[in-house]
Structures are given as C-alpha cells and as structure tokens.
Amino acid sequence: MTPERKAQLLKSWALEEGFDLAGVARAEGSEQGEALFAWLERGDQAGMGWMGNGVERRLDPGRVLAGARSVLCVGLRYHPLAGEDGGAEDSVEGDLWPRVARYARGQDYHEVMGRGLRRLEKRVAEAFPGAGTRRYVDTGPLLERELAARAGLGVQGKNTNLLSREAGSWFLLGELLLTLDLAPDPPVADLCGRCTRCLDLCPTGALPEPYRLDANRCISYWTIEHRGDLPSETREMLGDWVFGCDVCQEVCPWNLRGEHRDEREPADHPELRLPAERGELDLAGLLLLGHDDYVQRFRGSPMKRARQEGLQRNAAVAMGNRRDPGYVAPLAQALAEGASVVRRHAAWALGRIETREAREALEEALRGEADDSVKHEISAALGEGESSRSNEPESRGGDRR
C-alpha cells in the first residue's frame, strides 16, 4: 500500500471514530525550538515550571516514539458555530452560571478523545501488524499545535490557538504517532492577516504581541493552574471567570458567521456539552459546595484540574468582581466555614461589595477568626491593612500544577 493510500485510510478511520478533522504530518523535528526557548527564558510560562521539562522531547517526536515517521493529527469540535445551536447552551449563563471555558463544560476531553484514539490504535494494529503507535491528548511532550498545522488542520493564529477555515478554533487536538510512512498533508496559509482583535480585546493583556501568550497575565493560568492564594493585583483582572477564558476565541472573526465562513452542519458531541446537573450550580452554590457534592457533580469533568478549593476561591473572586450585594450572605458563610484559602478570598470579595451588611460580616468574622492570614485579609478588606497587602507572598499554596 502506498504512503498516500495509507494516509487516506487512516484519516477516513479517524472520521469514522467521531473526529471532525484529520491530517498527517511527518514526524520531524520542530521548527519552533528558538521560540520555545525564548518563551521559557522570558518566564512567560508563569508558575508552570513543568513546561521546561523534557524540552528536547517536545521538539522531536522521534524521542517520544522510537522510529516514528508520521503523526496522525485529529481535531474534535467542542462548540458549534455562533447561532447553530440557537443559543440553548448559553441560556444558562449570565447572572447564574459561572463563566467557564467552553471546552471544560462537559466530560473531560482527554477521556473522550482518548477513547477514539485507542480504537484507532487497535485498527492500525490489526491492519499493519508490527507498526508502532503512541497516542496523546494534551498529555505528553508534543508541540501539538505545530504538528496539527503541519498536518493541514489549520494554522496558528495570533492568539496562539490553531485556526481552521472550516472549524474556527473551537476544536481540541489529539495525536497518534506512528512508525508507518504516511504521505503528509499540505499546510494551511495564514488566516489572520492584519487582524489584531484577539490582542486588542484580551481583557488582561496576556497577548502582548502576535503569536505570544504571557501566562502571567492569562485568566486561564490563574483560574486553573495556580494553586493557593491569588495575588491581590491579579484578582480584579480575572473578572467573573471561574475556570479558563474564551475571550480571544469569542472575538475571532473565524469563530463568527460571515462571508469568510463555510456553511456546514454543526458537530454533535453531546458528551462535551454542559450536563443538566452542573447547569443548576450558580456562583453561590459553587462557593458553598460540600466535598461529596463536588465529587459527584464534577466526576469526569476537566474542571477538577483546579481542585475544589481552587474553584471555590475563583467563585469568591468572581462574586467580589460582580459586587452584587446579594452575595453577602454566601460569602459570609464561606468566611465562617470554608478552607483558609477560600476564607481569605471571601473576605476580599466582601470588601469589594462595600455595603453595610458586608462590613458587618467582616467585623463579626474578625472577632472570631483564629487564623492570622485570614485576619490579615479581613483587616485589609475593612481598609485597615492596605499598606501591608502589597507585601503578601504570591502564593500560600503548594504545587501549582
């Protein structure tokens, strides 16, 4: 069988297994090594020190799978084009549903895509005995966006996401490394042109220049990867996002209907949509969620990456940024009953609301609080410790990964 025929066969199998995009790249060394080292040297990875581990493997698929010759890259759409679902999913947002990146609303995409890739591996093993394979879904040392671009799935945009003429950027990536010789697909030409909407409208300036993401200012980094306390100067920056951020994708013309978009049927992956039981959970409910309820509601969800205390911390910050007096009661309860990291952020949020009830809740909590770090945050929220807050450590938490 020729490399061209094998490539077509494997891509057709990928579509049969439920993926929306499929393409082939050669398993060659990366051309982005210099940019990656510069990104790490600047500290743009923020607290994600693990990004600097195994750099040589990231730059060479042959170090990940010995004898690798080809990479089958696949994409799975996790959100329809604007208007295709009639706004049904968005109806749970607004004042109630916490703002969560769309990819994280349903089942964990690692598992969803992993199942499809495992089935592909089985088909390859049956059709090509002795062929070596290794699958990845954002779980290993691969520069997956570069590989996917080389496989023709799209082209890297100025917001660093992969853009497709047909699918915008609302799709997830996975890879199957192979020792088979497959004919590669041609790359896609630039789709950004002179557009800078993602850079201009990023609410935190996390895209200081085209094709560069500074995680130190990225809402997704702080709400997902960072452990422990959020620096006081970061909290307001997060707005009301509790897990991730979609702004740079929401404003991208390739994710909007218009003359540049091809008309096509939306992808249907119900397992990646918001389940009903989680749609009933508002900010106050998330803040006060008990452990058993947390385990039940978020079983199989990518939102578990932030852990329970991280989600509750983020919910408190979102409530403080919304400044809604209706949040005083749940914040006061969290300040009395929550874990210490949650109590500190609940105190900050009450200080932002600035009503008589909020101040009374802070004063009452201060009288009974035994934790010095929480007392310090309460005093700052009451306007009694502003000068000392600038000297706080960046994090009281542990491992950031």
Side-chain angles (χ1 to χ4, degrees):
M1 189 180 298
T2 66
E4 290 75 15
R5 174 59 184 146
K6 283 186 284 188
Q8 288 300 323
L9 181 63
L10 267 64
K11 287 187 289 184
S12 69
W13 288 350
L15 298 179
E16 289 173 7
E17 295 299 343
F19 295 108
D20 302 302
L21 305 169
V24 173
R26 295 196 187 281
E28 298 173 341
S30 170
E31 298 177 356
Q32 297 185 359
E34 184 176 343
L36 176 59
F37 282 113
W39 187 77
L40 293 169
E41 182 66 25
R42 282 192 303 265
D44 285 352
Q45 75 275 30
M48 298 179 289
W50 47 270
M51 291 291 293
N53 298 336
V55 174
E56 294 78 10
R57 298 185 73 205
R58 292 182 186 277
L59 298 175
D60 183 3
R63 291 175 177 257
V64 177
L65 174 66
R69 303 190 67 180
S70 306
V71 184
L72 177 64
C73 298
V74 297
L76 189 72
R77 287 176 58 190
Y78 60 90
H79 176 57
L81 305 181
E84 286 181 338
D85 62 351
E89 186 173 335
D90 290 335
S91 65
V92 298
E93 289 198 46
D95 293 335
L96 297 178
W97 170 243
R99 295 190 77 187
V100 171
R102 294 183 185 277
Y103 80 85
R105 296 180 181 183
Q107 294 180 24
D108 192 334
Y109 68 94
H110 298 90
E111 292 299 322
V112 175
M113 298 188 75
R115 290 193 291 268
L117 287 172
R118 282 194 291 273
R119 293 192 296 268
L120 273 175
E121 281 189 303
K122 183 177 180 181
R123 295 178 76 164
V124 170
E126 292 173 350
F128 304 98
T133 61
R134 188 159 187 177
R135 66 182 182 274
Y136 281 106
V137 183
D138 191 27
T139 51
L142 290 177
L143 297 179
E144 60 177 6
R145 279 170 292 187
E146 181 189 9
L147 286 169
R150 283 162 40 188
L153 267 61
V155 63
Q156 191 165 340
K158 292 178 182 178
N159 61 2
T160 75
N161 289 311
L162 200 71
L163 297 179
S164 162
R165 185 179 295 274
E166 293 78 21
S169 64
W170 300 114
F171 61 97
L172 303 158
L173 296 174
E175 301 80 36
L176 186 63
L177 277 67
L178 302 130
T179 57
L180 295 174
D181 185 18
L182 307 180
D185 286 281
V188 177
D190 172 58
L191 294 177
C192 289
R194 291 181 292 179
C195 178
T196 59
R197 286 178 59 84
C198 57
L199 278 69
D200 299 337
L201 298 176
C202 174
T204 60
L207 298 166
E209 58 186 281
Y211 313 107
R212 175 190 166 195
L213 172 66
D214 182 0
N216 295 286
R217 298 197 59 81
C218 181
I219 292 173
S220 290
Y221 165 70
W222 289 110
T223 56
I224 300 174
E225 300 294 340
H226 182 76
R227 302 288 178 251
D229 285 39
L230 295 167
S232 51
E233 67 273 12
T234 300
R235 299 172 190 178
E236 186 174 357
M237 178 178 82
L238 303 185
D240 56 358
W241 289 96
V242 299
F243 189 94
C245 176
D246 281 334
V247 172
C248 68
Q249 297 192 86
E250 291 171 343
V251 303
C252 177
W254 288 103
N255 285 327
L256 304 173
R257 277 196 178 274
E259 58 180 302
H260 300 297
R261 297 308 313 271
D262 293 337
E263 298 293 333
R264 58 178 292 175
E265 290 298 315
D268 183 20
H269 302 296
E271 65 272 29
L272 297 178
R273 292 184 176 274
L274 181 70
E277 67 273 13
R278 209 171 300 147
E280 300 170 355
L281 192 65
D282 59 12
L283 280 174
L286 179 59
L287 176 68
L288 301 176
L289 196 64
H291 179 69
D292 290 344
D293 200 6
Y294 162 78
V295 171
Q296 179 179 354
R297 284 179 182 263
F298 290 96
R299 181 177 289 112
S301 166
M303 290 178 66
K304 292 185 71 174
R305 172 81 172 178
R307 305 177 187 174
Q308 181 178 1
E309 289 184 4
L311 291 173
Q312 292 176 315
R313 172 203 67 189
N314 298 344
V317 170
M319 294 162 84
N321 285 329
R322 287 186 177 181
R323 298 176 184 257
D324 185 343
Y327 289 137
V328 169
L331 285 168
Q333 183 178 342
L335 183 53
E337 303 172 359
S340 59
V341 65
V342 179
R343 300 207 307 278
R344 288 191 289 271
H345 290 76
W348 176 86
L350 285 166
R352 297 267 293 172
I353 294 175
E354 296 181 329
T355 63
R356 178 174 58 82
E357 292 78 10
R359 187 172 185 86
E360 289 175 353
L362 288 165
E363 291 172 341
E364 180 179 353
L366 184 60
R367 288 191 290 271
E369 182 57 61
D371 187 318
D372 286 342
S373 68
V374 180
K375 290 169 66 175
H376 175 86
E377 196 73 59
I378 295 173
S379 295
L382 288 167
E384 301 169 1
E386 293 294 340
S387 62
S388 62
R389 284 179 63 175
S390 61
N391 296 320
E392 289 179 355
E394 180 173 299
S395 170
R396 304 179 206 273
D399 184 307
R400 289 176 173 172
R401 185 170 179 185

